[in-house]
Each structure stands twice: as structure tokens, then as C-alpha cells.
């Protein structure tokens, strides 16, 4: 047998008669104790059943009230407090200890007044870092067949100017909030279409912005492949800086166009005559551009091309000139 200890605090002394009658109406077959204090009454009893029907009977006796277990949302008068407790040592009819014994308190408070939640018809949508705005437009409507009044959702999400807008004929909504929530989901197709157009336009803009830097870099690499010194320096700034790295460590660096020319003519140079193939892995963060290249080193012993080698060349541009090169091999 699982015994449940039930305690009821009656915080308005004038309510005790009503609570007594409610308890009597439940026809409990066990003693019910009532203690009187200066400002309240305390009712206690023990049952082999949780007596959940008592909660319903109390609610019926106090119209306009509700039970809650959460008192965090504002301060309300607790008219009645009902607690149920089962010992952790409680066992069922077979002598097995019960899991999760009951330990619960409910508070009878004035029922919250349900107010329709207000909403902003404007919806912000982020296309990356760009803010786009859409509007869920709602108007009053009437079902001509039944004369039922309600709200209609307009098929018009771009602006809040609705003079010539048509409405969706699928349903008449009972509240503006219901129509708003439906409109939020309906506009997703329009947003997806706009976002696709945004991405396509961005690609076109990027291609236009990247067109000249791509040409300058391609011309530089092609000139290196051809060992054409004059074409190599054609788009280099007078103060060009160059750095060669191996395993992320700098092994050579120079500054100025004349010093870079000397490097190209030296036996240590690593840019010319390698027949670089530009890979598709361009990375733009202007003024910086990273370009992946590959080439086939020639074996000194056999005079044959080895397995392809992948490298990176990083460029910095300014005023359509290359001002810095970092070659990572």
C-alpha cells in the first residue's frame, strides 16, 4: 500500500466552510484533521490514493481560479495550497519500493486573463550581413456564405502598402495572430527565391570585382612560367616585398623592385620555369588573394617529372599593382 499524506492550507479563514463541504462531498473513508490558526486553517489527512479528484472539486468551488506549481510569474494571492507527499520508503502491494515517490505542491491563484499577444508585422531576414524586410499583411474578412467574421492573409509580403493586394482564399483566420503565424510560413518561398537572386547577384558582383586581380595574377604566373622578366615585373609595385617560406618558416625575403629582379636572375629563385598550373582554389579577401598552384618537379637524377607538388602563392594588391608576394613551397 502506498500512503499519500495530503495537506491543505486555507489562507482565507472565510473559505473553511466551503472547503469542508468540498471534502465531505468526496466521501473520504478516513479521518480528516482541521487545525485553526490566527489567520488560516490547516487540513491534513492520509490516503492510500492520491485523491486527484479533490483538485477538480476545489476548482469547481472557486470559479475564476486555477492551480499552478509556478509562482515566478508575478505575485498573486495564494488562496489555497495543497501538498502531496509519499515517503521514499513507500512500497507497493507486492512489497517493492516505488520509484519517484510523490512530493508536489500546488497553489490556487486567480486565473490569468488570456490576452492576445501583439506582434510586429515586419519580419527581418538576414541575407548574410544584409538586412531584408518582409511584411505579413492582414485585413478583416467575412465568409459570404456563413457571415462568419475573421481575418484574411494578403498575398503581399514585400511592403505594407496593400491598396491593390489580393488575399489567400484558402481560409478565414479566427485571429490576427493565427493569420500572422500562417503568413510567416507562407513567405518562406518568396524569401528563398529572393535569397537565390541575392546569391547570384553577389556572384556577378564578385566576378566583376575579381576580374582584374585575376588577370594580373594570371599574367604574373604565366610570365614566371615563360621566364619573361619584363612581363613578370609589369604589374609589380616599385616597393614590392617578396617572401619565400618553407614549412611556414621564412627562408628568404627581399624588398624593392630592383632586389626582386636580382632574385629572379639568381640560382636560388623558385618562381620561374616551373610550369605552374593554377588550381581552382582561389581565395579572395581583397586586397589579399591566395592562389593554389601545382607543378611537377624534375628529378635531378633521372631527368623525369616526379609526382605533382602543391604550393601556395599569396598576393597583396593595391591600385592594380602587386605590392607583396609570399611564396610557400
Amino acid at each position: 500500500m502506498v500512503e499519500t499524506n495530503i495537506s491543505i492550507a486555507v489562507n482565507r479563514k472565510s473559505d473553511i466552510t466551503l472547503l469542508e463541504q468540498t471534502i465531505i462531498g468526496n466521501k473520504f473513508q478516513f479521518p480528516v484533521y482541521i487545525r485553526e490558526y490566527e489567520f488560516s486553517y490547516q487540513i491534513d489527512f492520509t490516503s492510500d490514493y492520491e485523491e486527484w479528484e479533490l483538485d477538480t472539486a476545489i476548482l469547481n468551488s472557486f470559479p475564476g481560479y486555477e492551480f499552478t506549481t509556478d509562482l515566478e510569474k508575478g505575485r498573486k494571492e495564494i488562496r489555497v495550497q495543497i501538498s502531496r507527499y509519499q515517503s521514499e520508503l513507500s512500497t507497493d502491494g507486492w512489497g517493492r519500493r516505488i520509484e519517484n515517490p510523490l512530493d508536489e505542491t500546488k497553489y490556487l491563484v486567480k486565473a490569468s486573463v488570456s490576452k492576445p499577444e501583439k506582434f510586429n508585422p515586419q519580419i527581418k531576414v538576414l541575407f548574410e550581413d544584409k538586412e531584408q524586410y518582409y511584411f505579413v499583411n492582414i485585413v478583416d474578412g467575412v465568409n459570404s456564405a456563413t457571415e462568419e467574421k475573421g481575418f484574411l492573409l494578403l498575398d503581399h509580403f514585400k511592403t505594407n502598402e496593400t491598396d491593390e493586394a489580393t488575399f489567400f482564399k484558402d481560409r478565414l483566420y479566427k485571429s490576427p495572430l493565427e493569420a500572422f503565424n500562417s503568413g510567416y510560413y507562407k513567405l518562406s518561398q518568396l524569401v528563398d527565391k529572393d535569397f537565390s537572386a541575392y546569391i547570384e547577384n553577389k556572384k556577378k558582383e564578385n566576378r566583376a570585382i575579381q576580374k582584374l586581380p585575376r588577370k594580373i595574377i594570371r599574367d604574373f604566373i604565366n610570365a614566371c612560367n615563360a621566364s619573361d622578366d619584363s612581363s613578370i615585373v609589369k604589374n609589380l609595385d616599385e616597393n614590392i616585398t617578396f617572401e619565400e617560406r618553407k614549412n611556414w618558416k621564412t627562408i628568404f625575403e627581399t624588398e624593392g623592385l630592383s632586389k626582386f629582379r636580382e632574385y629572379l636572375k639568381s640560382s636560388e629563385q623558385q618562381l620561374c620555369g616551373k610550369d605552374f598550373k593554377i588550381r581552382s582554389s582561389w581565395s579572395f579577401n581583397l586586397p589579399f588573394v591566395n592562389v593554389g598552384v601545382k607543378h611537377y618537379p624534375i628529378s635531378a637524377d633521372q631527368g623525369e617529372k616526379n609526382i605533382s607538388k602543391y604550393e601556395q602563392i599569396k598576393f597583396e594588391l593595391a591600385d592594380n599593382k602587386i605590392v607583396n608576394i609570399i611564396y610557400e613551397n
Side-chain angles (χ1 to χ4, degrees):
M1 180 189 302
V2 180
E3 290 189 339
T4 302
N5 299 318
I6 301 176
S7 298
I8 303 174
V10 184
N11 294 320
R12 283 192 193 179
K13 296 193 75 172
S14 58
D15 289 338
I16 187 61
T17 301
L18 182 58
L19 262 297
E20 284 185 18
Q21 294 302 316
T22 302
I23 290 172
I24 292 171
N26 276 52
K27 299 180 180 180
F28 295 148
Q29 300 300 300
F30 43 76
V32 177
Y33 298 83
I34 301 176
R35 286 172 286 158
E36 182 179 2
Y37 294 89
E38 183 178 3
F39 303 111
S40 65
Y41 282 93
Q42 182 71 36
I43 303 172
D44 298 283
F45 53 88
T46 300
S47 173
D48 57 2
Y49 173 63
E50 290 83 356
E51 306 294 349
W52 298 115
E53 291 83 359
L54 179 60
D55 295 14
T56 302
I58 292 175
L59 286 176
N60 291 336
S61 300
F62 292 88
Y65 280 76
E66 64 183 356
F67 274 117
T68 180
T69 58
D70 180 15
L71 292 176
E72 294 181 1
K73 297 180 179 179
R75 295 188 176 184
K76 294 183 177 181
E77 177 198 10
I78 301 172
R79 197 155 178 182
V80 174
Q81 176 178 316
I82 181 168
S83 301
R84 290 177 172 83
Y85 172 76
Q86 294 171 341
S87 171
E88 294 182 358
L89 303 178
S90 298
T91 58
D92 60 16
W94 300 94
R96 295 172 298 193
R97 184 172 295 182
I98 63 171
E99 297 182 2
N100 302 319
L102 190 60
D103 188 0
E104 174 191 87
T105 298
K106 292 180 179 180
Y107 309 94
L108 186 71
V109 296
K110 197 77 172 178
S112 301
V113 178
S114 179
K115 295 181 179 179
E117 187 173 7
K118 295 181 179 180
F119 57 87
N120 188 341
Q122 177 179 276
I123 295 176
K124 181 196 294 186
V125 182
L126 295 180
F127 289 5
E128 296 183 313
D129 61 340
K130 303 294 189 299
E131 295 180 357
Q132 309 290 332
Y133 291 92
Y134 297 83
F135 298 84
V136 177
N137 295 295
I138 302 164
V139 295
D140 296 336
V142 178
N143 186 326
S144 57
T146 63
E147 298 299 322
E148 177 189 3
K149 293 183 179 181
F151 301 90
L152 295 169
L153 176 65
L154 298 186
D155 187 7
H156 187 79
F157 298 108
K158 287 287 191 177
T159 71
N160 55 0
E161 300 294 331
T162 60
D163 292 343
E164 299 181 1
T166 59
F167 59 86
F168 290 98
K169 298 180 180 180
D170 54 347
R171 59 184 297 191
L172 183 70
Y173 297 93
K174 294 182 179 179
S175 70
L177 183 59
E178 184 184 22
F180 174 76
N181 290 334
S182 178
Y184 168 74
Y185 290 104
K186 284 182 181 293
L187 68 82
S188 61
Q189 291 183 345
L190 175 61
V191 172
D192 290 344
K193 182 178 178 181
D194 289 350
F195 186 71
S196 296
Y198 164 81
I199 292 297
E200 188 58 36
N201 288 335
K202 184 178 179 181
K203 288 179 180 178
K204 291 179 181 178
E205 291 173 0
N206 287 340
R207 284 195 290 267
I209 293 171
Q210 297 172 7
K211 184 176 181 180
L212 184 56
R214 284 179 182 271
K215 183 179 186 307
I216 291 172
I217 291 170
R218 283 198 185 97
D219 288 348
F220 173 83
I221 293 176
N222 289 335
C224 288
N225 290 340
S227 300
D228 183 348
D229 290 359
S230 60
S231 296
I232 290 175
V233 301
K234 178 181 176 182
N235 291 309
L236 301 186
D237 187 82
E238 284 291 332
N239 298 313
I240 179 74
T241 57
F242 172 76
E243 182 181 351
E244 183 181 342
R245 296 176 182 173
K246 190 175 184 66
N247 297 327
W248 300 285
K249 293 183 179 180
T250 300
I251 60 175
F252 178 83
E253 57 185 337
T254 187
E255 183 175 351
L257 191 57
S258 59
K259 292 292 185 181
F260 185 68
R261 286 178 182 270
E262 292 177 10
Y263 167 78
L264 293 176
K265 294 177 181 178
S266 69
S267 59
E268 289 81 14
Q269 70 83 24
Q270 295 293 321
L271 291 177
C272 296
K274 284 190 171 182
D275 193 23
F276 288 121
K277 304 297 182 185
I278 300 176
R279 303 173 66 201
S280 60
S281 55
W282 292 65
S283 176
F284 275 85
N285 187 19
L286 292 174
F288 304 99
V289 183
N290 293 352
V291 180
V293 296
K294 70 175 181 179
H295 66 99
Y296 297 88
I298 297 177
S299 170
D301 297 331
Q302 302 176 4
E304 297 178 353
K305 290 184 177 181
N306 295 327
I307 298 174
S308 60
K309 184 177 181 182
Y310 296 91
E311 299 172 342
Q312 287 279 330
I313 306 178
K314 300 180 178 181
F315 298 88
E316 181 181 354
L317 296 93
D319 298 326
N320 297 326
K321 293 286 186 179
I322 299 173
V323 298
N324 176 257
I325 301 172
I326 299 176
Y327 172 57
E328 296 186 350
N329 58 29

